[in-house]
Amino acid sequence: MRYTSIKDFCKRGAAHLAKGPIALIFAEDEVELDTCLRHHDSLGFKALVLFAPSAFRLPADLDARTIRVDHSSSEDGHHIPAINAVIAAAPAGTWMYYCFNAEYLFFPFCETRKIGEMLSFHAEERRNAMLTYVVDIYAGDLGSAPEAVSLEDAWLDRSGYYALARNDPDNHEYPKERQLNFFGGLRWRYEEHIPAPRRTIDRIAIFRTAKGLMLREGHVFSDEEYNTYACPWHNNLTASIASFRTAKALKRNPGSTFDIHTFKWHNSTQFEWHSRQLLDLGLMEPGQWF
């Protein structure tokens, strides 16, 4: 199915939103768009909704099972009004996930469990959203992969991640309960090239729709409980999104590309494309999930 705009999709394609979980994928370019879609399809999402310029092409098999929405990614924050429109059009309680091309979701034991199983468990723990960490991955050899994207030679930082309190400007700058700002990866190592509001690596990428719910700048929601990393009683599941997005941007940006000859450093390790590695590095939390 193909829709000419987000408005058209929300009007004529509302039936696609009846049952989740649904993956909303925003294509900023065509880099690894097909592998991104195939990866999320393999996780068991009920529907893949691709927001992309009409000129972007997909292989025939992917095109047949992907819902296409013509959408321009030229404006900063283009995904926010799109996601809010979809939330308003979907039934309350529908699980959704969003990411960008060249990003890949991993959750604990995703090699043997489907996304629906995991979210059923998460809902039983009275959680309506899940914190994900956007883990920067990058090509090891920029000579062979000048845009820093290589599935076969992908690396990540094995250390350098940390968290700081998230202060509440509406409450005398006191720290918000069960909310933290997380940092690390390329956004930390190359922070001089990254605007301060974009240096965090946390994203509430998995959420349940609700009446009046709104996505805001900074990958957080209008309901503050959605922005927490765990419930008050115990640790909850978290997930990771392995992302080439930052590396790609740093190599495309004229202000940073000539300063970067390699992203590898002494704390780089090859990405194994497996949830066990991310669990071992502390980049996601299994909670009570087993």
Side-chain angles (χ1 to χ4, degrees):
M1 292 292 292
R2 189 154 192 168
Y3 300 91
T4 58
S5 66
I6 294 166
K7 184 178 180 180
D8 181 38
F9 173 62
C10 292
K11 182 179 180 180
R12 295 194 301 116
H16 298 301
L17 305 174
K19 188 175 181 180
I22 297 165
L24 311 176
I25 298 173
F26 292 86
E28 298 176 310
D29 51 45
E30 294 183 89
V31 174
E32 296 299 342
L33 177 56
D34 57 339
T35 59
C36 173
L37 288 165
R38 292 185 195 281
H39 174 84
H40 290 95
D41 188 41
S42 73
L43 295 178
F45 284 98
K46 297 296 184 183
L48 300 178
V49 184
L50 173 63
F51 297 83
S54 58
F56 287 9
R57 295 287 177 260
L58 293 177
D61 65 319
L62 270 180
D63 201 38
R65 62 179 187 268
T66 301
I67 301 160
R68 288 286 301 264
V69 181
D70 293 346
H71 172 72
S72 172
S73 60
S74 59
E75 292 186 12
D76 191 29
H78 61 91
H79 63 288
I80 296 176
I83 291 172
N84 286 335
V86 172
I87 291 172
T94 303
W95 282 106
M96 292 189 176
Y97 157 81
Y98 76 94
C99 72
F100 304 88
N101 62 294
E103 294 191 327
Y104 308 87
L105 175 67
F106 288 84
F107 55 86
F109 320 119
C110 61
E111 290 77 20
T112 56
R113 305 288 181 90
K114 294 298 185 182
I115 185 76
E117 295 177 81
M118 187 265 289
L119 291 177
S120 294
F121 174 83
H122 199 55
E124 289 174 1
E125 296 218 309
R126 291 185 285 175
R127 298 290 290 168
N128 291 318
M130 183 181 292
L131 171 67
T132 62
Y133 303 106
V134 181
V135 179
D136 292 323
I137 52 177
Y138 44 87
D141 182 2
L142 296 182
S144 300
E147 287 199 326
V149 179
S150 173
L151 300 183
E152 299 77 19
D153 184 34
W155 295 69
L156 78 163
D157 290 3
R158 62 187 175 193
S159 64
Y161 302 95
Y162 65 98
L164 297 175
R166 180 177 292 169
N167 295 330
D168 187 353
D170 297 326
N171 189 25
H172 309 289
E173 296 296 333
Y174 291 149
K176 293 186 176 183
E177 182 185 359
R178 291 175 288 117
Q179 293 191 42
L180 294 169
N181 291 321
F182 295 87
F183 302 88
L186 300 182
R187 294 169 188 251
W188 169 60
R189 288 201 278 133
Y190 296 93
E191 64 177 13
E192 67 273 19
H193 298 295
I194 308 288
R198 298 186 180 179
R199 291 176 189 164
T200 57
I201 62 169
D202 46 274
R203 183 192 299 175
I204 308 300
I206 303 173
F207 61 93
R208 220 173 184 180
T209 58
K211 185 177 180 180
L213 183 69
M214 300 284 286
L215 179 65
R216 293 175 170 172
E217 291 281 352
H219 301 288
V220 295
F221 283 90
S222 54
D223 185 335
E224 290 291 351
E225 185 62 27
Y226 275 58
N227 305 327
T228 59
Y229 54 81
C231 67
W233 309 285
H234 56 244
N235 290 341
N236 292 115
L237 274 159
T238 58
S240 292
I241 299 172
S243 174
F244 285 111
R245 194 168 176 236
T246 299
K248 181 158 55 82
L250 286 168
K251 283 306 294 178
R252 284 184 173 181
N253 186 345
S256 57
T257 186
F258 299 109
D259 294 337
I260 301 169
H261 305 290
T262 180
F263 284 116
K264 290 174 68 175
W265 64 321
H266 63 280
N267 280 323
S268 292
T269 188
Q270 193 143 23
F271 184 40
E272 298 171 5
W273 297 97
H274 199 283
S275 65
R276 172 52 57 190
Q277 182 185 31
L278 296 165
L279 283 164
D280 290 343
L281 291 174
L283 293 171
M284 57 187 178
E285 165 66 51
Q288 319 301 310
W289 171 248
F290 57 90

